[in-house]
Amino acid sequence: MGKISFTNSNNPAITLSAVINFPEGFSEAGSYPAIVVSHPGGGVKEQTAGTYAKKLAEQGFVTIAYDASYQGESTGAPRQLENPYIRTEDVSAVIDHLTTLPYVDKARIGAMGICAGAGYTANAAIQDRRIRAIGTVSAVNIGSMFRNGWENNVKDIDALPYVEAGSNARTDDAKGGAAATMPLAPMREADAPNAELREAWEYYHTPRAAHPTAPGFATLRSLNQIITYDAYHLANVYLTQPILAVVGSDAGSKWMSDDLIARAASTDKAMHIVNGANHMSLYDGKTHVDEAVSALAPFFREKLAGRAARQAAE
């Protein structure tokens, strides 16, 4: 395990910061399957993405959890930009780096993400065929969530004021000064609309998982890209890789995992429901995370098996 940094192949002006994890007995002379792990909107690699990356490395994979461009310890300005198109491209940029590592088997690369990171992972897999299998945990299609609400009870057109707000923020930003921001999770306990999202406040803003590089907000200008983004666009045509969606039975966001499975063209897709878990408990609840990993590890092991291993199994 170690912290690394590398140039973002999509934007050479940005350096991506990441933590790479190695399985027990790792040798640089070996050849390993690898998994890219993408963090939630507002998160960083030291939080839930790092947790899953570490646990999956213990199961025999090289894993890499990274900070998105403009966020965490990665560079780029304006800080805290949450542009979903860039975040999708970040997944492929990390894969670009993995393909340069001699111990990574380029034919055995998988990707997973948590919350919005899961949506970005799905979108990346639609367009990047190097991703051979995808896993999601508490998946969020960030565009759908911002348009339709946490519980999918808001009409698309009702989000038009957010597009206006993002447009106006760009004008204000162009004048100079500090960029306007918006919360990606409740910034105060009193702002949480329900118990589940109160946990989001607790996760990001209390000792439960607070981290100095994860302020929990994004630039307001990000609304322009978020509202019009669909992480599952053309999934019905091009998302053909194996998929495992892990979701809590009590998650208010479960409809976005259901939507992914329904829309994906893949004929090898499944959902693992963690009974009693909500959206946030799959971030760091030990029992729930362990169950999620117990489903994800064999999924990736099977789907990323080398040709020789597959032939032997047959």
Side-chain angles (χ1 to χ4, degrees):
M1 171 179 178
K3 187 178 288 187
I4 61 172
S5 61
F6 50 92
T7 300
N8 185 331
S9 53
N10 294 311
N11 184 346
I14 290 177
T15 298
L16 293 176
S17 178
V19 171
I20 192 164
N21 302 273
F22 303 110
E24 185 177 357
F26 170 79
S27 167
E28 288 197 5
S31 180
Y32 299 88
I35 301 172
V36 178
V37 185
S38 298
H39 63 71
V44 290
K45 64 186 181 300
E46 289 83 5
Q47 296 170 323
T48 183
T51 297
Y52 278 91
K54 183 175 182 296
K55 286 181 175 291
L56 286 170
E58 293 168 357
Q59 298 295 317
F61 305 94
V62 170
T63 64
I64 186 166
Y66 65 98
D67 288 333
S69 297
Y70 307 98
Q71 300 175 26
E73 294 181 316
S74 293
T75 66
R79 299 306 297 166
Q80 301 309 125
L81 182 72
E82 183 76 17
N83 183 321
Y85 301 96
I86 293 174
R87 285 217 51 188
T88 293
E89 283 296 314
D90 281 348
V91 179
S92 290
V94 176
I95 293 173
D96 290 345
H97 177 70
L98 285 177
T99 65
T100 70
L101 303 178
Y103 48 82
V104 169
D105 185 338
K106 300 172 185 61
R108 294 194 289 161
I109 295 176
M112 68 155 290
I114 305 95
C115 190
Y120 299 139
T121 296
N123 196 260
I126 289 168
Q127 56 190 299
D128 193 334
R129 306 307 298 180
R130 297 173 300 175
I131 299 174
R132 302 305 175 94
I134 68 170
T136 67
V137 173
S138 295
V140 161
N141 180 344
I142 195 169
S144 293
M145 185 188 74
F146 269 76
R147 287 191 302 274
N148 307 124
W150 186 251
E151 296 178 342
N152 195 24
N153 54 6
V154 180
K155 295 179 180 178
D156 286 352
I157 190 59
D158 292 337
L160 183 59
Y162 294 133
V163 182
E164 295 279 1
S167 302
N168 293 336
R170 292 181 70 108
T171 297
D172 292 340
D173 290 352
K175 298 174 184 176
T181 62
M182 64 177 184
L184 284 174
M187 298 296 292
R188 302 178 306 159
E189 184 176 11
D191 296 333
N194 55 49
E196 190 170 27
L197 290 178
R198 182 203 166 278
E199 280 198 53
W201 161 80
E202 180 183 70
Y203 184 86
Y204 287 110
H205 299 293
T206 75
R208 174 173 170 178
H211 194 274
T213 62
F217 59 78
T219 58
L220 190 61
R221 66 184 291 138
S222 301
L223 281 172
N224 284 108
Q225 288 76 41
I226 290 173
I227 296 297
T228 55
Y229 176 81
D230 177 12
Y232 309 154
H233 179 60
L234 292 178
N236 62 310
V237 180
Y238 299 120
L239 189 52
T240 60
Q241 299 97 316
I243 304 168
L244 177 64
V246 178
V247 64
S249 61
D250 301 340
S253 60
K254 182 177 177 294
W255 62 275
M256 287 177 275
S257 294
D258 294 334
D259 190 32
L260 171 62
I261 295 299
R263 291 170 64 180
S266 176
T267 57
D268 184 358
K269 53 187 179 180
M271 181 177 291
H272 180 89
I273 298 176
V274 180
N275 288 325
N278 65 15
H279 183 92
M280 298 303 304
S281 59
L282 280 168
Y283 281 37
D284 63 342
K286 185 180 185 309
T287 300
H288 293 153
V289 170
D290 285 348
E291 181 175 339
V293 172
S294 75
L296 289 164
F299 165 77
F300 280 119
R301 193 174 296 118
E302 176 188 352
K303 306 308 176 185
L304 300 180
R307 179 178 298 175
R310 287 195 297 270
Q311 290 174 340
E314 293 170 356

